[in-house]
Amino acid sequence: MYRYDQYDQTMVDARVEEFRDQARRRLEGRLTEDQFKPLRLMNGLYLQLHAYMLRVAIPYGTLDSRQMHMLADIADKYDRGYGHFTTRQNIQYNWIKLEDAGDILADLASVEMHAIQTSGNCIRNISSDHFAGAAADEVVDPRPYAELLRQWSSFHPEFSYLPRKFKIAVIASDTDRAAMRLHDIGIQIVRNATGELGAAFYVGGGMGRTPMIAPCINAFVPLDRMVTYAEAALRVYNRHGRRDNKYKARIKILVHELGAEEYTRQVEEEFAHLLGQGVEPPFAELERIRGYFEDPLFEDGLSAELDRSDPDFALWVDRNTIAHKAPGYVSAVISLKPVGGIPGDATAEQMHLMADLARDYSFDELRVMHTQNIVLPHVRKADLHALWTALESAGLGSPNLDTIEDIIACPGLDYCSLANARSIPVAQKISERFAANGKTEALGQLKLKISGCINACGHHHAGHIGILGVDKKGVENYQLLLGGSEAEDVSLAKITGPGFDEAGIVDAVETAADVYLRERHDGERFLDTYRRIGMTPFKEALYG
């Protein structure tokens, strides 16, 4: 993983002291809330329903045990003993006091972490494939390129006050595990017919109140021009993006209104201009960064055999481990979705344990997954039983990856000042329902996502089953959506019809699941069956 040099550390330390002074002036009344708001947002500090929320950046989801221990310590010292891992591979603390914010940022800086640009109208945390560097199907580890983009985008003077927030994802596989085409810019590292590596650029995706799938505007940009092309794409957006209407300010609206062809023409024109301006970082800088992402020293000749005599262990292995590029290893997913739990939450004690397990079993490396889970990317198969035993004892051994119990959910109205409805109780009730009725195994892969408002932080548009909470005359109402995907077969879910109350939406999810079980063909996922039979059978079952 990347390590700060003196320049990185000095930059982050300086920002800590700058914000400490800004927070002090706010507490003393020398800054108004209107003056303070843009300053705190650029440092990841939100004012929510009950307290401040701090969002900490975990670039492309990668961290080590030292950093995870610090996140646990912050949860204990400054919050209420837990943190919430998000779909952008970050962590959020929901009960922060403003007078503590400077100390928290200083603690983060001591382990090469920060909260810079995790909010505000700027380029946010660069996300990536959570199996990067371990997946057998990638053409190259995408994280060095994500890190290059992170360094380019941090404090970029031209892009610090964009029309709206901006999100970039980088992958290097035809299997999309990062919702790449639902980002403002999605980059896939590809190899052309002659074996050269390049970047395919997808621009103009996003969720929220107007979900859109990003079109490909350039199928192959040479990697030594990737940053320049990204700068060109952002310059066109910064020049023409709507600043008069925040609901039409995202780049997806610009690409839609201009048309992908005209937007691409303007990007290519800007790109040609920038090629003579020396925007691209020197190749030596990419090589320096790439050196931090060398493979660990994998052992040769490891056995692939496992003792599967314990059925609970065997089930966890089948569901929660992923094939690895190195023989004898797997990537092991730690579920943060226990039955009846809050999706993405982990206690300080659990974070400390995960840090220790990463040190002992995964070359001191963890990843925050886009799905609000944690993965140990490089685990020997021989260590899996010991790992699982430790996880089980801490409530982290749920065998539910990609099942209906592996729910993505935003914090909703329990915490968020923007939300219209609660997400957490709905997620808890659904996981409890399916754990009790025994249908999880039969349903197989079924991705359920819940948002408490139209901003779609829970990615409901991209769920095989999605739930959107809305306010209907002062009452929480839940719309059911079907048919979404954020993977390589990307699609946007459609609303089935009138919404439901809290109890009704749980029943509606089970009804939709039962239609699938009745109508599916062999080998079909829920999503495949929905695409084959369409919405009508589901609507008939739901509404009569």
Side-chain angles (χ1 to χ4, degrees):
M1 60 182 290
Y2 182 73
R3 296 293 184 190
Y4 284 8
D5 59 15
Q6 184 177 2
Y7 178 82
D8 297 310
Q9 192 66 55
T10 299
M11 182 173 67
V12 172
D13 289 343
R15 172 53 78 93
V16 171
E17 293 312 308
E18 177 185 73
F19 184 70
R20 194 191 294 276
D21 178 63
Q22 293 164 348
R24 183 186 304 116
R25 284 186 284 149
R26 174 69 185 119
L27 288 165
E28 292 171 352
R30 291 189 287 148
L31 287 176
T32 66
E33 173 56 23
D34 286 344
Q35 291 170 326
F36 184 57
K37 182 177 180 179
L39 303 176
R40 63 171 169 80
L41 288 178
M42 291 292 280
N43 290 279
L45 196 66
Y46 287 74
L47 185 56
Q48 296 204 306
L49 281 178
H50 313 294
Y52 284 97
M53 179 271 279
L54 180 69
R55 179 181 295 142
V56 177
I58 305 175
Y60 36 87
T62 296
L63 70 165
D64 61 17
S65 62
R66 174 188 56 138
Q67 293 169 324
M68 184 65 98
H69 278 306
M70 177 58 76
L71 296 180
D73 288 341
I74 289 171
D76 255 345
K77 186 175 181 181
Y78 302 107
D79 201 275
R80 295 186 175 181
Y82 67 94
H84 176 73
F85 291 95
T86 78
T87 56
R88 289 209 56 73
Q89 301 179 295
N90 296 313
I91 186 172
Q92 295 178 180
Y93 298 101
N94 290 306
W95 299 95
I96 299 302
K97 296 176 181 177
L98 181 55
E99 53 265 36
D100 292 332
D103 291 338
I104 298 172
L105 296 183
D107 287 348
L108 289 169
S110 73
V111 293
E112 303 175 38
M113 300 185 81
H114 62 74
I116 297 164
Q117 294 182 200
T118 57
S119 182
N121 294 336
C122 55
I123 300 171
R124 300 285 186 88
N125 189 40
I126 309 291
S127 60
S128 188
D129 184 346
H130 38 244
F131 297 129
D137 61 349
E138 65 186 12
V139 298
V140 67
D141 188 340
R143 291 176 301 158
Y145 305 96
E147 174 60 27
L148 188 68
L149 288 165
R150 185 194 70 81
Q151 295 191 20
W152 158 78
S153 63
S154 296
F155 300 117
H156 195 303
E158 191 173 344
F159 305 138
S160 293
Y161 296 95
L162 292 165
R164 199 72 172 87
K165 59 187 176 181
F166 205 91
K167 301 175 181 180
I168 300 174
V170 186
I171 66 173
S173 166
D174 287 336
T175 302
D176 184 1
R177 292 174 284 259
M180 183 265 297
R181 291 189 66 188
L182 295 172
H183 280 71
D184 298 287
I185 292 180
I187 296 173
Q188 182 182 351
I189 309 299
V190 296
R191 198 180 295 278
N192 67 11
T194 62
E196 295 176 288
L197 289 173
F201 271 75
Y202 296 81
V203 181
M207 289 186 248
R209 65 181 58 240
T210 312
M212 293 185 182
I213 297 168
C216 182
I217 68 163
N218 193 321
F220 192 87
V221 176
L223 281 182
D224 61 357
R225 298 180 177 183
M226 178 188 71
V227 172
T228 305
Y229 203 86
E231 181 131 347
L234 269 145
R235 274 194 164 194
V236 173
Y237 168 54
N238 206 19
R239 185 179 301 144
H240 299 301
R242 297 278 297 271
R243 285 183 162 86
D244 62 324
N245 185 335
K246 71 177 184 179
Y247 302 116
K248 297 182 180 294
R250 298 292 293 270
I251 193 174
K252 62 189 178 184
I253 303 298
L254 177 67
V255 174
H256 176 73
E257 291 185 348
L258 284 178
E261 185 176 344
E262 173 58 18
Y263 173 77
T264 303
R265 185 195 68 78
Q266 293 192 32
V267 171
E268 293 291 339
E269 185 178 85
E270 186 66 33
F271 177 57
H273 165 70
L274 288 174
L275 285 175
Q277 303 300 307
V279 169
E280 198 71 30
F283 181 72
E285 177 62 11
L286 177 59
E287 287 298 288
R288 182 187 75 86
I289 291 170
R290 191 182 282 130
Y292 288 102
F293 295 91
E294 296 292 336
D295 284 344
L297 295 175
F298 297 126
E299 296 179 43
D300 294 326
L302 292 178
S303 171
E305 296 300 315
L306 280 175
D307 180 354
R308 298 173 57 88
S309 57
D310 183 334
D312 293 333
F313 170 63
L315 179 63
W316 179 82
V317 169
D318 290 342
R319 285 186 179 169
N320 282 45
T321 66
I322 305 298
H324 196 283
K325 67 182 181 181
Y329 288 84
V330 294
S331 296
V333 174
I334 301 172
S335 173
L336 301 184
K337 318 286 180 62
V339 174
I342 299 175
D345 275 14
T347 66
E349 291 79 10
Q350 289 173 330
M351 284 188 261
H352 280 307
L353 175 64
M354 290 188 286
D356 290 339
L357 295 175
R359 179 200 62 211
D360 294 342
Y361 298 120
S362 187
F363 296 94
D364 200 32
E365 188 174 339
L366 309 97
R367 308 280 178 78
V368 182
M369 298 177 68
H370 152 72
T371 54
Q372 297 179 286
N373 294 314
I374 304 295
V375 62
L376 303 184
H378 315 295
V379 180
R380 298 190 315 165
K381 289 185 176 181
D383 291 330
L384 282 175
H385 193 273
L387 171 64
W388 170 76
T389 301
L391 292 173
E392 274 284 276
S393 67
L396 294 168
S398 297
N400 57 14
L401 179 64
D402 289 340
T403 71
I404 197 166
E405 297 174 36
D406 185 16
I407 299 167
I408 286 178
C410 72
L413 194 55
D414 286 301
Y415 297 100
C416 182
S417 58
L418 300 176
N420 301 119
R422 294 169 299 158
S423 301
I424 291 170
V426 174
Q428 292 172 312
K429 287 181 171 64
I430 291 172
S431 73
E432 289 167 345
R433 170 73 63 89
F434 283 87
N437 65 24
K439 295 177 182 177
T440 298
E441 178 70 26
L443 290 168
Q445 187 190 100
L446 205 171
K447 299 187 179 184
L448 175 63
K449 307 179 193 297
I450 307 173
S451 298
C453 79
I454 199 67
N455 289 302
C457 295
H459 295 191
H460 63 276
H461 297 299
H464 298 177
I465 296 177
I467 296 172
L468 169 62
V470 298
D471 176 29
K472 189 173 182 180
K473 297 181 180 180
V475 177
E476 293 170 84
N477 186 264
Y478 296 92
Q479 296 176 345
L480 186 71
L481 298 87
L482 302 177
S485 172
E486 59 199 3
E488 60 279 2
D489 60 349
V490 59
S491 59
L492 298 173
K494 296 180 180 179
I495 296 172
T496 58
F500 304 86
D501 62 16
E502 187 176 300
I505 192 63
V506 179
D507 292 337
V509 169
E510 185 169 14
T511 297
D514 288 342
V515 172
Y516 159 65
L517 292 174
R518 184 183 72 232
E519 300 288 343
R520 68 180 174 181
H521 290 173
D522 286 347
E524 282 187 336
R525 304 168 297 168
F526 178 95
L527 182 61
D528 301 323
T529 299
Y530 169 81
R531 287 173 172 173
R532 177 174 55 81
I533 68 176
M535 180 69 82
T536 300
F538 293 94
K539 291 186 74 166
E540 289 175 351
L542 289 164
Y543 303 108

